[in-house]
Amino acid sequence: MTSDNTASPAAREQRGEPLLVAEGLTKHFPITGGFPVRRKVGAVQAVDGVDLTVREGESFGLVGESGCGKSTTGRLLTRLLEPTAGRITYRGQDITHARRRELAPIRSEIQMIFQDPYASLNPRQTVGRIVSGPMEINGVDPAGGRERRVRELLETVGLNPEHYNRFPHEFSGGQRQRIGVARALALEPRIVIADEPVSALDVSIQAQVVNLLQTLRRELGIAFLFIAHDLAVVRHFSQRVAVMYLGRIVEVGGRDDIYRRPRHPYTHALLSAVPEAADLTDEPGTAPRERIRLAGDVPSPILPPSGCRFRTRCWKAREKCATEVPPLIRQDGSGAEHLAACHFPEPPTVERDVEVILDPALRTETEGR
């Protein structure tokens, strides 16, 4: 496969060409039972029909509750998991069911940063060995040798090059995650799947790691798929955002569209839970900020609701929501790239002046709109 890594980061980002595309991506994990013959008795529908596109040099955020399928989606896109159905395309090449030999030329261009900086590093290997490992596996011999390249990478991610011979237990959580970032950069990737890279870190360290990733994206032109459940972090880092619920994407669009003019009720509920500085003020005449509290738990992915999967917790659910799966389409009043999967989308505004308590059994609100 030919590569155009020689193009400047600004030029690659400006083109906005699709880099990694998923169409109808699906992953069902089988559930087996019975004795003595074990047979399939069901399936966990972790990811069910996901469509998304990550462009050259952009930062794309994927958010949602724990268990919604975000991490599974990331592992499918890196081909660490085999898809049940759907299609994955990287730079126009179908890699959905590509074999190991077919994937070899592009493995170096798709890298991953894992969530747990304590479990993702081999405690028996030195930092130099961990970071140089991908180069050894792929037969990469950079100018000046691998050790020199590793020391350069350590300096790039804000670590002392003299830490080359240290072991992971000698570092803090934030430093370990920086080692993981250095490892991901070792092969000069085109896209990095960052699976909740800061969720296991202290808040003060989170900002340092996120700022580091932003700097790398700007200077190296690397595209990022940033998976997280922290909406504030995603807003700071991502240019486009997709919201996921129970294995499906319910809304996708530019950062400002999602955070200022959400259309899907689930996105409204998520955003209402994000604290803001204005919430702490008690200025007279200031209307209380919207609060949406969803009753009940997320349904089981083993037997998800029919139609719209959010309908069991949605205050706008109607009979149509139970019988028809809402398509992910542009809604009236939204931008061309702002899509939502809802039969009865919210108006393009998040302002409400009362607290709303939503009970799916009653489908009522404490106050009217």
Side-chain angles (χ1 to χ4, degrees), residues 21 24 30 44 135 148 151 160-161 163 194 205 231 240 267 295 299 318:
V21 180
V44 177
M135 290 185 277
R148 177 180 176 183
R151 292 181 183 274
N160 191 331
H163 293 164
I205 306 300
L231 293 170
R240 288 195 303 135
T267 310
R318 306 290 185 270

Side-chain angles (χ1 to χ4, degrees), residues 51-259:
D51 297 325
L52 61 85
T53 300
V54 183
R55 299 169 184 154
E56 289 270 8
E58 83 164 338
S59 53
F60 186 97
L62 183 60
V63 301
E65 295 176 85
S66 296
C68 71
K70 306 184 302 296
S71 295
T72 302
T73 300
R75 283 165 169 76
L76 288 170
L77 294 174
T78 54
R79 284 302 316 280
L80 295 179
L81 291 175
E82 185 74 13
T84 302
R87 187 167 183 256
I88 304 173
T89 305
Y90 176 72
R91 297 176 64 194
Q93 177 183 347
D94 189 344
I95 63 171
T96 311
H97 300 290
R99 298 182 179 180
R100 184 173 182 177
R101 181 173 297 180
E102 297 171 325
L103 284 173
I106 65 173
R107 279 293 191 192
S108 62
E109 299 185 14
I110 305 175
Q111 294 294 304
M112 191 165 189
I113 301 173
F114 296 93
Q115 177 178 356
D116 189 350
Y118 296 91
S120 61
L121 303 180
N122 190 333
R124 295 181 177 88
Q125 293 183 351
T126 63
V127 171
R129 176 69 174 169
I130 290 172
V131 179
S132 65
M135 290 185 277
E136 294 179 14
I137 293 172
N138 290 271
V140 176
D141 292 308
R146 292 172 183 162
E147 180 175 344
R148 177 180 176 183
R149 174 61 177 158
V150 170
R151 292 181 183 274
E152 290 175 351
L153 288 170
L154 292 178
E155 190 172 7
T156 299
V157 299
L159 294 175
N160 191 331
E162 300 304 319
H163 293 164
Y164 181 90
N165 290 314
R166 290 190 178 184
F167 288 87
H169 72 270
E170 301 180 66
F171 296 89
S172 66
Q175 290 175 320
R176 293 190 195 195
Q177 196 62 291
R178 289 172 184 265
I179 296 171
V181 173
R183 178 176 58 185
L185 297 177
L187 298 177
E188 300 181 358
R190 299 288 294 275
I191 180 171
V192 172
I193 312 295
D195 183 14
E196 304 208 31
V198 297
S199 63
L201 306 177
D202 293 338
V203 175
S204 59
I205 306 300
Q206 288 183 4
Q208 296 177 17
V209 175
V210 170
N211 290 335
L212 168 64
L213 297 180
Q214 277 191 319
T215 301
L216 295 174
R217 187 192 69 82
R218 288 193 302 264
E219 295 181 353
L220 304 179
I222 301 173
F224 277 88
L225 175 62
F226 193 90
I227 300 171
H229 61 264
D230 190 326
L231 293 170
V233 172
V234 172
R235 183 174 191 173
H236 179 69
F237 183 80
S238 304
Q239 298 166 310
R240 288 195 303 135
V241 179
V243 181
M244 199 168 185
Y245 181 82
L246 204 60
R248 291 179 180 169
I249 290 180
V250 297
E251 187 164 8
V252 61
R255 174 177 54 197
D256 291 340
D257 287 334
I258 294 295
Y259 283 84

Side-chain angles (χ1 to χ4, degrees), residues 306-325:
S306 61
C308 176
R309 294 191 172 183
F310 184 61
R311 66 179 177 81
T312 58
R313 307 174 74 195
C314 182
W315 64 96
K316 305 188 74 174
R318 306 290 185 270
E319 183 178 351
K320 182 179 182 180
C321 301
T323 58
E324 299 181 21
V325 177

Side-chain angles (χ1 to χ4, degrees), residues 63-65 229-235 241 243 251 254-276 279 289-294 310 315 338 346-351:
V63 301
E65 295 176 85
H229 61 264
D230 190 326
L231 293 170
V233 172
V234 172
R235 183 174 191 173
V241 179
V243 181
E251 187 164 8
R255 174 177 54 197
D256 291 340
D257 287 334
I258 294 295
Y259 283 84
R260 296 181 182 177
R261 295 173 292 277
R263 305 305 305 274
H264 198 281
Y266 176 63
T267 310
H268 267 269
L270 280 183
L271 293 175
S272 75
V274 178
E276 294 184 357
D279 298 339
R289 188 170 174 267
E290 169 193 37
R291 286 289 182 269
I292 300 177
R293 291 185 286 166
L294 300 176
F310 184 61
W315 64 96
H338 187 183
E346 292 281 301
T349 178
V350 298
E351 284 79 16

